[in-house]
Amino acid sequence: MRTDDTDDDTVSTVSTATSSDFGHHEVEERDENTVLDGFVDALYEKRAKVREAALKGLINALKTSVLIDFVDDKHETLLHLCIGSLKKGVSSEAAFASQLIGLMAVTTGAGDVAQHILSEASAYLIKAAKFGSDSKARIAALEALALTCFVGSTNYEATEEIMDVLWQMSKRKGSSHPDQALGMTRAMPEVRAAALSAWTFLMTEIPTTRIVSQHMAQCSSALLSILENDEQNVRIAAGEAIAVVFEARSTIRSQYYADPSSTDASSALCRKNFENRETELVDLIKGLALEAGGKGQGNKKSQRSSFKEIHSVLKGEDVETSLKLQQGDSLILNSWIQVIQMKFLTGILAEGLQKHLQENTLLHEIFSFVPQQGKRKTLTSTEKRMYMSPNSVLNKARTQNMNRRRSQVHAWQIGQFGAEDVGSD
């Protein structure tokens, strides 16, 4: 029923408004925010399945869209809820919570929010990585720990503290080992491979001089041992780490030859210690690039392909990989360090990689990439016939022009021959 009261008129007016009364973009944005807020609210539910579904929804949203404002506004709430899932949730919920923490860091980019995420979440991610009840939960925690550190760390000393945790997890030691000081559950091969990949990813962020002076000699013996004795996925991760070290060493060499004072005595000593094992490393990786690794044809091809690529880096060959993007863009990766960074981020963002490469400032900074603005024009069927068909006006004109030029060249040649004949007479 309607009355003449002003308040009732106002309520009626608002309740009968439709989407046509607003701009399409505004309605879409309002719908998206409503869905996201619904996911956040569902994280307070007591039922684990509801919380897991909400975490999945938020993960998908952060992968497929670059929701910087949402993360900046909600990061405190989301972080609190994700930490709760890490502390009390079952393994699947803990894995989703870790993924969401990592994606928040990637979305917001370097700055105060990422630093806060790292400071609040790192201890819980480390605990989940060490003591998670299954491999998926531990791997998700490892990857999130590496991502939050990569984005949120403000100095390489803090990064190296996280690298130490990852390095210990990449080794065989665990609860069954006499060294109980590590205090962690023994890691399965897939967890060790993930820890080593995360360690290598963080190594790409620290200065090359630091890699050479602190990590090159320290890790060479352990990585050599892994290459000789371990599971295939762990061997490949070790090979990728060695390639980063070799590339860093090559960079330092170039700097040294340009300016001998640019490297210190410590770097020179570590470089010399590493070079004592260089022949062993190169020969072993060359062998792995040729031999069959693991069971099944797929595993053999995977090992050969991976180690051929790694071996080319060790030989000092140029690394250049082109990645096709939307809107006609392409991204050129011209170092092994960038290849490792892209590989790690691809595993995290999956189908959302293209979207983030186009819109995420963090990825633009990492890869020194400026995307094209605006969409590439798509030709209509009529325009394709006009411009791309062999019988198009454009192609016919091009053919006529080429024929005319051939005729002119032919006539010029005949003239030259004729002149020579006259001169000879």
Side-chain angles (χ1 to χ4, degrees):
M1 293 180 64
R2 294 286 306 275
T3 68
D4 293 333
D5 191 283
T6 304
D7 290 340
D8 287 340
D9 287 342
T10 304
V11 171
S12 176
T13 301
V14 173
S15 64
T16 57
T18 66
S19 62
S20 61
D21 297 315
F22 303 99
H24 181 66
H25 177 72
E26 184 180 348
V27 172
E28 277 190 349
E29 186 176 344
R30 182 174 299 179
D31 289 343
E32 181 183 67
N33 289 337
T34 301
V35 172
L36 293 172
D37 289 341
F39 288 145
V40 175
D41 291 341
L43 293 178
Y44 290 97
E45 290 286 338
K46 291 184 178 180
R47 289 176 294 170
K49 287 186 177 180
V50 176
R51 296 196 303 271
E52 285 187 28
L55 288 168
K56 285 182 186 179
L58 289 167
I59 289 168
N60 184 62
L62 292 184
K63 282 183 178 180
T64 55
S65 299
V66 185
L67 304 174
I68 298 175
D69 292 340
F70 172 73
V71 171
D72 287 350
D73 291 342
K74 301 285 187 179
H75 71 274
E76 285 280 10
T77 300
L78 290 172
L79 197 54
H80 170 74
L81 293 168
C82 285
I83 288 173
S85 293
L86 284 171
K87 290 163 65 175
K88 297 183 290 186
V90 296
S91 60
S92 55
E93 182 180 347
F96 292 138
S98 294
Q99 289 180 45
L100 184 55
I101 291 171
L103 287 169
M104 284 195 292
V106 171
T107 300
T108 190
D112 293 341
V113 174
Q115 292 170 28
H116 179 69
I117 292 172
L118 175 62
S119 65
E120 292 295 317
S122 58
Y124 298 99
L125 290 171
I126 290 172
K127 187 175 180 180
K130 286 183 174 182
F131 303 110
S133 56
D134 68 11
S135 296
K136 288 184 178 179
R138 298 181 74 180
I139 290 170
L142 285 168
E143 292 174 343
L145 181 63
L147 275 175
T148 53
C149 181
F150 187 90
V151 182
S153 178
T154 56
N155 56 75
Y156 63 75
E157 290 90 349
T159 299
E160 286 178 333
E161 288 182 10
I162 301 297
M163 287 177 66
D164 286 342
V165 174
L166 299 171
W167 179 253
Q168 294 298 338
M169 289 198 63
S170 71
K171 295 156 76 172
R172 288 185 177 276
K173 298 177 181 179
S175 58
S176 61
H177 192 276
D179 184 4
Q180 296 296 323
L182 294 175
M184 69 177 73
T185 305
R186 186 181 179 89
M188 300 295 289
E190 60 270 24
V191 176
R192 295 181 56 231
L196 192 48
S197 294
W199 181 83
T200 305
F201 175 65
L202 287 183
M203 186 164 58
T204 66
E205 189 188 28
I206 64 178
T208 51
T209 51
R210 187 74 179 173
I211 295 174
V212 171
S213 65
Q214 296 296 319
H215 301 285
M216 191 164 69
Q218 171 192 346
C219 68
S220 58
S221 297
L223 293 175
L224 180 61
S225 176
I226 290 172
L227 288 174
E228 290 175 329
N229 303 308
D230 236 303
E231 299 283 341
Q232 186 192 65
N233 54 353
V234 186
R235 284 201 303 269
I236 292 174
E240 291 175 345
I242 290 168
V244 170
V245 172
F246 265 76
E247 187 174 77
R249 195 271 307 270
S250 298
T251 302
I252 295 300
R253 272 181 171 173
S254 300
Q255 292 174 356
Y256 177 79
Y257 291 137
D259 177 12
S261 64
S262 63
T263 56
D264 56 24
S266 174
S267 296
L269 178 61
C270 288
R271 191 167 64 247
K272 184 177 180 180
N273 291 337
F274 181 78
E275 286 168 356
N276 292 335
R277 293 186 171 274
E278 181 175 356
T279 302
E280 288 181 83
L281 287 167
V282 173
D283 288 346
L284 188 52
I285 285 175
K286 183 179 180 180
L288 290 168
L290 298 174
E291 76 175 32
K295 298 179 181 179
Q297 192 64 26
N299 285 333
K300 295 175 184 178
K301 289 182 179 179
S302 174
Q303 172 161 305
R304 284 197 292 264
S305 174
S306 296
F307 279 101
K308 279 180 181 177
E309 191 176 18
I310 292 165
H311 188 240
S312 68
V313 177
L314 269 57
K315 291 191 297 182
E317 296 179 3
D318 291 337
V319 176
E320 186 169 301
T321 303
S322 178
L323 182 64
K324 289 186 178 180
L325 306 178
Q326 297 168 349
Q327 300 179 11
D329 265 335
S330 62
L331 174 60
I332 306 298
L333 307 176
N334 53 23
S335 71
W336 182 251
I337 281 177
Q338 286 190 331
V339 170
I340 290 297
Q341 290 170 336
M342 178 59 73
K343 181 179 178 181
F344 195 86
L345 290 168
T346 300
I348 300 299
L349 295 170
E351 69 280 1
L353 178 67
Q354 288 272 351
K355 185 72 171 178
H356 279 263
L357 281 171
Q358 290 294 330
E359 299 181 10
N360 192 323
T361 304
L362 174 68
L363 271 63
H364 299 167
E365 293 171 354
I366 292 172
F367 300 109
S368 302
F369 171 64
V370 180
Q372 290 185 8
Q373 299 299 318
K375 293 184 178 180
R376 183 175 54 175
K377 186 179 185 297
T378 302
L379 298 178
T380 65
S381 56
T382 303
E383 289 172 329
K384 287 179 181 178
R385 286 196 300 271
M386 290 177 62
Y387 301 120
M388 300 177 67
S389 166
N391 296 320
S392 68
V393 174
L394 188 63
N395 276 328
K396 284 181 178 178
R398 187 183 296 116
T399 302
Q400 290 173 357
N401 187 46
M402 290 175 66
N403 290 338
R404 189 180 302 111
R405 290 176 61 185
R406 288 194 190 102
S407 298
Q408 290 172 345
V409 171
H410 184 62
W412 178 81
Q413 289 173 338
I414 292 174
Q416 288 289 100
F417 294 145
E420 290 174 1
D421 291 340
V422 171
S424 64
D425 292 341

